[in-house]
Amino acid sequence: MRYLILGSGPAGIAAAKAARKLDKDAEVLLATEEHAAPYLRPLLPDLVSGERELPGVADPQGKNLADLKVRLLGGKRARRVDSAKNRVTFSDGTEETYNFLCVATGGRPILPLALMGAPGSFLFLNSLGDAQRVRERAMRSDTTVVYGPGYLGIEAARAMRKLGNQVIWINPGLPRFGNPISGEVEARVTDQLRARGVKVHEGTEIADVIDVDGKNYEVVTAGGGTIRCHLVVVATERLPNIGFLDGSGVKAGAGVLVDEYLRTNVSNIYAAGDCAEVYDVNRRESRINFGWRSAIKQGQLAGENMAGGGKVYIKNAEDYFGLLFGTPLLERVKA
């Protein structure tokens, strides 16, 4: 038996380990576009701020993959899935076959339209490489605009301020997917950021970015205001990274549509984590459940079910993003 898991985030690693646990003799492959060892994405702002060094963001889930005989294939970005031939083609031209496939490719950040015309003005804060680039550039900057809603924007603004930058946080409002932080908690956190010198522009968008001289930029807000800065950090919500499934026959909405067993309409293909639109048996609707804890839970169930289990995914209150990052987030901002 051959299990191929796409993605080395929490869902992918959990799926690989679960499949290995139930199927001792199977071949388990974990293919990821990352070149780095698995890391904890929620801790990337701490890497930017200098509160953690590189070893401090390593994902402990990924440390014993070799011992479990899970083969990690780095630098592998999925380009196409041929579900009829049980084959995945990667962007480097290589291919891998499978008996069971788990899609756990997470999401990609949304780029505001206004930034597309000024590519030198911004950096994403989405991957380990992004965090390293943001820190390097921020060390040479005085003023940074952070764009992004909710938790992601808060953490990016906190990190940049901790690094010593003057920070203007443009908060466009509630994220379109996942579970937002409760209004009361976000208001308290925002007050703490203001107390630490972060200027907050709420409920607005970036309308334009003007490249002044290749080093300085003017950000124009939807309300007509202008902000002079050296860098824009894009810390937006992430949309499911599933474009490579086009033409595969796997059904998708905003994310990969899966039933309560994390199984797609193609019987030997499963999906888990931020890319999966999971059927909620309690609410009787499909939704994307962004968050580290729910990704691990989904990945584990997908791995078990690929290997012959029959467990149903039932979300509980602890899977909700807002409950996970309430008081702890407030304490982080105060620190």
Side-chain angles (χ1 to χ4, degrees):
M1 193 64 67
R2 200 169 207 249
Y3 300 95
L4 176 61
I5 295 95
L6 302 178
S8 62
I13 294 174
K17 286 187 168 183
R20 162 60 70 228
K21 185 175 181 179
L22 292 185
D23 196 339
K24 306 292 186 184
D25 299 321
E27 189 175 5
V28 181
L29 290 80
L30 190 63
T32 173
E33 62 184 69
E34 295 278 358
H35 292 277
Y39 57 88
L40 296 167
R41 194 181 303 273
L43 296 183
L44 292 181
D46 292 352
L47 188 65
V48 171
S49 67
E51 295 166 277
R52 290 178 185 266
E53 299 295 332
L54 193 57
V57 300
D59 187 349
Q61 271 204 114
K63 289 184 177 179
N64 64 338
L65 293 176
D67 294 338
L68 294 173
K69 296 183 179 179
V70 172
R71 188 149 60 98
L72 184 64
L73 306 176
K76 298 290 184 182
R77 177 178 294 179
R79 188 179 69 191
R80 181 173 180 268
V81 172
D82 186 336
S83 60
K85 295 182 178 179
N86 291 347
R87 181 172 61 198
V88 175
T89 303
F90 297 96
S91 58
D92 62 1
T94 60
E95 296 179 343
E96 294 290 348
T97 58
Y98 60 85
N99 297 109
F100 286 92
L101 174 68
C102 180
V103 178
T105 45
R108 291 196 181 281
I110 305 168
L111 180 65
L113 186 63
L115 288 172
M116 293 182 181
S121 66
F122 70 90
L123 290 171
F124 284 113
L125 182 51
N126 179 61
S127 69
L128 180 62
D130 291 338
Q132 292 170 320
R133 285 186 287 272
V134 167
R135 177 172 171 79
E136 180 183 353
R137 186 157 163 187
M139 298 290 284
R140 297 181 276 109
S141 302
D142 295 318
T143 305
T144 296
V145 168
V146 170
Y147 173 84
Y151 168 76
L152 297 171
I154 288 168
E155 276 289 85
R158 182 193 67 81
M160 299 303 290
R161 186 67 184 130
K162 193 94 174 179
L163 200 56
N165 275 215
Q166 295 298 315
V167 178
I168 299 92
W169 173 31
I170 296 179
N171 177 8
L174 292 176
R176 284 178 284 175
F177 297 97
N179 301 288
I181 302 169
S182 71
E184 180 184 353
V185 171
E186 183 163 355
R188 291 169 63 193
V189 170
T190 301
D191 286 344
Q192 285 292 334
L193 286 175
R194 286 193 176 103
R196 294 195 168 274
V198 175
K199 296 179 181 178
V200 183
H201 294 233
E202 295 186 272
T204 190
E205 289 283 348
I206 295 177
D208 195 10
V209 178
I210 301 168
D211 186 338
V212 177
D213 57 12
K215 294 181 180 179
N216 296 280
Y217 303 90
E218 280 194 353
V219 174
V220 182
T221 67
T226 60
I227 305 165
R228 190 77 169 251
C229 67
H230 299 101
L231 171 64
V232 179
V233 173
V234 180
T236 62
E237 58 185 323
R238 302 161 74 234
L239 293 181
N241 176 25
I242 58 173
F244 61 90
L245 289 174
D246 290 348
S248 68
V250 175
K251 291 183 179 179
V256 183
L257 291 169
V258 295
D259 61 18
E260 62 269 34
Y261 299 98
L262 287 306
R263 181 178 52 210
T264 71
N265 62 298
V266 179
S267 61
N268 65 336
I269 299 180
Y270 290 69
D274 290 359
C275 69
E277 195 168 345
V278 184
Y279 182 72
D280 187 326
V281 294
N282 292 324
R283 296 191 178 197
R284 297 186 179 182
E285 64 180 12
S286 294
R287 62 182 296 165
I288 299 170
N289 300 301
F290 288 108
W292 203 262
R293 185 175 296 179
S294 62
I296 292 174
K297 184 176 177 180
Q298 289 176 22
Q300 182 175 349
L301 282 176
E304 290 177 359
N305 290 344
M306 285 194 299
K311 293 185 178 180
V312 172
Y313 175 70
I314 300 176
K315 184 171 75 276
N316 57 41
E318 290 185 344
D319 293 330
Y320 280 99
F321 191 78
L323 294 179
L324 293 177
F325 295 99
T327 303
L329 179 58
L330 185 61
E331 294 304 317
R332 282 171 63 79
V333 173
K334 286 181 180 178

